[in-house]
Amino acid sequence: AGYDTKNSSHHINIPGSLSNNATGPNSTFRLNSNVNVPGRWAFQVDHGSRGCTFNGQTVQLGDSFWSDSTCAQ
């Protein structure tokens, strides 16, 4: 468990992922935390690449969107 951003080196695995202690009432995820609340994990992901914009809106690499109201472009 954790997160991974698309085409990026930014990623994190929660300690204990892929272990025998990853599930159940005494699991790593239920008893531990990175925000001092057992069982709660939080990750800030809003500071990725800001180099791409379209009509003043930030877009990520690989985003799909229509550039006109008729959905033709």
Side-chain angles (χ1 to χ4, degrees):
Y3 79 89
D4 188 8
T5 56
K6 184 176 181 180
N7 296 324
S8 174
S9 61
H10 302 289
H11 63 277
I12 188 167
N13 289 322
I14 294 175
S17 292
L18 302 173
S19 75
N20 291 336
N21 296 329
T23 60
N26 295 317
S27 73
T28 299
F29 305 121
R30 186 178 295 226
L31 300 176
N32 295 311
S33 172
N34 67 344
V35 292
N36 297 320
V37 178
R40 183 174 295 172
W41 298 83
F43 305 97
Q44 184 173 348
V45 295
D46 62 348
H47 287 95
S49 173
R50 296 182 182 199
C52 299
T53 60
F54 180 80
N55 287 342
Q57 298 293 318
T58 301
V59 294
Q60 295 293 319
L61 178 66
D63 279 353
S64 296
F65 56 91
W66 296 106
S67 63
D68 67 344
S69 62
T70 64
C71 301
Q73 293 184 348

